[in-house]
Amino acid sequence: RTLMLALGGICAIVGGRLCDLLGLKFVLMVGLTGAAACGLAFQSTNFWIISCFVMLAGIASGPMSAASQSYLISSVGRTRLGIGGGVFFLSHSLGGSLGSFFTGMIKPTWNFQQIGIAMALTAMIVVGIAIALLPDISKSPTTRLDRKELLFWRTYLPLLQKVEVQLLITMRLCITGFWGMATLLLPLLIYRVSGDAATAAFYGSLSLAIAAGCQITTGWIRDRFGKSIPLLVSALGIAVCAAGLGLSPDSLLGLFTFGTGLTGTAWAVSVLVPSLIDEIASSEEKNRLVGLGHLAWSTSMAIGGIAGGVLVEINSSLPFFLGVFLALGGAACLLALCRRLDRQTQGKNA
C-alpha cells in the first residue's frame, strides 16, 4: 500500500503537467487503465507479475486523480464547487462500497481469476464509455512540445513559492498525516477491544455512512455560507475527536463515537480542497496544483500509516495525542489561508 501511495503521488505530479500538455481527457483515459491492471493482477500466482500489475495500478492512480479533480474544477462553477466536491468524493466512497458488496455476493461461486477478469472488462467498458461520451473541456493540447516544457521543476517552482500553496500543502501534510494514522489504527483497535472482526467491519460501514452525510452537508454549507466556517469547524472537530480517541483507546463506545466523528470531519475538509485549489491557482496552474496536492496527500498517508504502526506499539494513545497537535496545526494553516484568500477577493471587488 505504501508503494502504491508513493507511486501515485509521484505520478500525479507528472499527470498534472501532462494535463496541461496533452489534455484532461487523454490523461484521464491513461489513469483509468489502472482499474484494468488491478483485475489482471488476479490472473497470476507469480509474485513478480502480481507486483508489476499492482505497481502499474499505483502509477495510473496519479494521473487519474490529477485529471479527474481537474475535470471537477473545470466543469463545475466556483459557486457550486462545494456540493460538486461532495458528490465527487461521495462517488468514490459509494463506488468502493458497492464494489465490496458485489464482490462479497459473487465470491462464494466465483474464483479470484474470474473476479479479476470481470474487473478488467468492466474497466475497459468504462474507458470506452468515457472515450465516446466524456467531453474534453480542457484547452487544446500542445501539438509540439518544447524541451523546456518537459522540465517539471520549471513549472512547479513558481507554485511552491506562493504562500497560499505552502499553507495548503502544510495543511494537507498535517491533517492527512493524522488521517493516515487513524485509518490504520481504528479498525485494529476496535478488533482488539471487541475481539470480533464483524464489529470492525460494521465500524467501517458506519463510518462510510457518516462520511457520506458530512460530504454533502459540508459542500452545501460552503456554497451557501462560504468556505471559512465549514473548514475551520471541521479542522477543530478533527482535533476534538483525536483528543477523545487518545483518552479512550480501550473503550469500544469511545472508539466508535470519536472514530466516526473523525471520519466525518476529515472527509469534510477533503471535500473543500478542490474549491481551495480553484481559488488559489490561476487557470494555467490548476492542473499542476491538483497534482501537487495529490503528492502531498499520498506522502502524508504513507508516512502517517508507518508512524501510526510504530507509535501504537509504544502507547495506543500516543498517535491520537500527536493527532491533536497535527489537527491544530492544520487548522492554523486553514485560518491563515482563508484570511489571505478573503483579502484577495475583497481587493478584486474594491
Side-chain angles (χ1 to χ4, degrees), residues 319-344:
F320 300 110
F321 287 137
L322 174 60
V324 175
F325 292 100
L326 290 173
L328 290 175
C333 290
L334 285 171
L335 177 61
L337 177 59
C338 289
R339 285 181 172 176
R340 290 184 68 90
L341 292 175
D342 288 341
R343 283 199 298 267
Q344 292 175 6

Side-chain angles (χ1 to χ4, degrees), residues 1-17 19 27 31 56-70 73 88-89 92 156 159-160 165 168-173 176-177 267 270 273-274 277 285-303:
R1 182 170 182 264
T2 300
L3 178 60
M4 288 188 69
L5 286 170
L7 289 171
I10 294 170
C11 292
I13 290 287
V14 179
R17 184 57 180 144
C19 286
V27 178
L56 180 60
I59 290 170
S61 69
M64 180 175 177
S65 176
S68 60
Q69 291 192 54
S70 293
I73 293 171
F88 176 83
F89 286 105
H92 283 246
Y156 278 98
L159 270 178
L160 292 170
V165 173
L168 178 67
I169 298 302
T170 304
M171 180 277 294
R172 264 304 206 193
L173 292 173
T176 309
W267 272 108
S270 289
V273 168
I277 292 174
E285 296 172 330
K286 292 188 197 303
N287 297 331
R288 277 167 276 154
L289 186 52
V290 170
L292 191 61
H294 187 73
L295 174 62
W297 178 86
S298 299
T299 303
S300 304
M301 288 292 291
I303 294 175

Side-chain angles (χ1 to χ4, degrees), residues 13-27:
I13 290 287
V14 179
R17 184 57 180 144
L18 290 180
C19 286
D20 294 335
L21 301 175
L22 302 177
L24 293 179
K25 186 171 183 176
F26 177 82
V27 178

Side-chain angles (χ1 to χ4, degrees), residues 210 214 233-239 241 260-270:
I210 297 293
C214 289
V233 170
S234 298
L236 292 174
I238 293 173
C241 291
T260 53
L262 174 62
T263 302
T265 49
W267 272 108
V269 172
S270 289

Side-chain angles (χ1 to χ4, degrees), residues 84 162 216 304 320 346:
K162 283 188 172 184
I216 299 300
F320 300 110
Q346 291 170 2

